[in-house]
Amino acid sequence: MIVLGIETSCDETAAAVVRDDRAILSNIVFSQLEEHRPYGGVVPEIAARSHLVHIDDIVRRAMAESGIDFAALDGVAATGGPGLIGGVLVGMMTAKAIALVHDLPLLAVNHLEAHALTARLTDDLRFPYLLLLVSGGHCQLLAVEGPGAYSLYGATRDDAVGEAFDKTAKLLGLPYPGGPAVEQAAKRGNAERFAFPRPMRGRAGCDFSFSGLKTAVARTIQALPNPAADTADAAASFQAAVADILVDRTGNAIGRFRREHGDGTLVVAGGVAANATLRARLAALADAESFACAAPPPALCTDNAAMVAWAGIERLRLGLIDDLDFAPRPRWPLDDAPVAA
Ligand code: KG4
Ligand code: ZN
């Protein structure tokens, strides 16, 4: 089974071809970073137009690099949400056109499900597993029981963790996107310099909160006589606070998962899972709890189309095919993923 995947939900225009034996035949990601950088964040209308300009070429390149032609595909998958609606429309319309012309099944993939299932592409994991999903728009802990079968343990009550990284970067005068910039700066910094709060730490349950941390970072930086001199220390102290929060909340989730399913695997996925410090702290937590730990390689944590193609394969195997009139969903919670079209 071979599936073409398309991802256009944010600021990456991406296409990939993946086979059901977990071989990635091609994986092309065009980042629109340079187009959004002057604005310090993703501008939806610019993103939508840029997807439109690049999508045909990116799909052509993914197909060429895979060495197969459209006739050899078994399906075409595209992100159907959640995300910026203009971009999702571009990817979904492209996928529908390919499906129609080549008479292929269409798979409308939930972007979060694509992140959630990536560990099965990279690590051949069995269901169920515990997932910490940390991206620019989401921060959740879930038990992943199968495609379309998720039970939500907890989620952020305010900001997503990637958003907290991006806002902190802005406050520190670091370039967009904030996550990688904060991680780089933190390498040179003293993580104990600033005692930032760890909201929710020690509380029962698996919910998160990052707004208090963000406010504390803002206040601290505004009070500094020369913020530029303290950027590295602030970045390191912020990152340490995030790590402590994630470890505390995930520790509770491991306890709940163990009660429900026994020992298992902790999977860390989503763009923020590219962060080496956070990965190491979560791996150490899993180890201490006798859980296995899996995190896809960083390039498959940040947005890409190989994960969309793989989620398409998982759904195609189960016959979860979508109609050509599928309507993109700007909001699409994972525990609400339709099991059948
Ligand atoms: O999954 P993703 O690529 O896009 C969404 O679906 O949101 O995640 C993007 C988020 C951004 O907030 C970005 O700053 C963050 O992931 N990110 C990181 C790192 N790389 C990307 N955060 C912390 N450390 C990183 N190395
Ligand atoms: Zn994502």
Side-chain angles (χ1 to χ4, degrees), residues 95-118:
K96 286 179 178 178
I98 294 170
L100 191 62
V101 169
H102 298 281
D103 196 20
L104 293 168
L106 173 74
L107 295 316
V109 168
N110 181 317
H111 181 86
L112 304 176
E113 174 154 75
H115 279 303
L117 299 178
T118 305

Side-chain angles (χ1 to χ4, degrees), residues 143-163:
V144 182
E145 283 142 25
Y150 299 86
S151 77
L152 186 66
Y153 283 9
T156 184
R157 295 179 178 184
D158 38 63
D159 296 341
V161 62
E163 215 175 334

Side-chain angles (χ1 to χ4, degrees), residues 29-119:
V29 181
F30 169 76
S31 168
Q32 303 174 358
L33 212 63
E34 294 312 322
E35 292 166 75
H36 299 288
R37 206 193 294 276
Y39 307 96
V42 179
V43 183
E45 188 58 24
I46 291 176
R49 286 165 193 245
S50 180
H51 286 304
L52 202 51
V53 168
H54 293 107
I55 188 71
D56 289 350
D57 184 49
I58 296 299
V59 168
R60 205 176 292 124
R61 282 171 56 193
M63 290 305 295
E65 203 170 286
S66 75
I68 64 153
D69 53 36
F70 286 105
L73 291 174
D74 296 286
V76 51
T79 297
L84 301 174
I85 190 67
V88 173
L89 276 168
V90 170
M92 192 41 79
M93 290 308 291
T94 304
K96 286 179 178 178
I98 294 170
L100 191 62
V101 169
H102 298 281
D103 196 20
L104 293 168
L106 173 74
L107 295 316
V109 168
N110 181 317
H111 181 86
L112 304 176
E113 174 154 75
H115 279 303
L117 299 178
T118 305

Side-chain angles (χ1 to χ4, degrees), residues 158-183:
D158 38 63
D159 296 341
V161 62
E163 215 175 334
F165 268 94
D166 294 335
K167 286 176 181 168
T168 296
K170 220 171 203 175
L171 288 167
L172 292 172
L174 294 169
Y176 175 84
V182 169
E183 180 174 23

Side-chain angles (χ1 to χ4, degrees), residues 7 9-10 12 82 111-112 114-115 133-138 269-271 301-304 307:
E7 159 59 36
S9 66
C10 192
E12 279 89 12
H111 181 86
L112 304 176
H115 279 303
L133 178 56
V134 276
S135 72
H138 297 86
C301 285
T302 48
D303 286 349
N304 65 88
M307 67 180 191

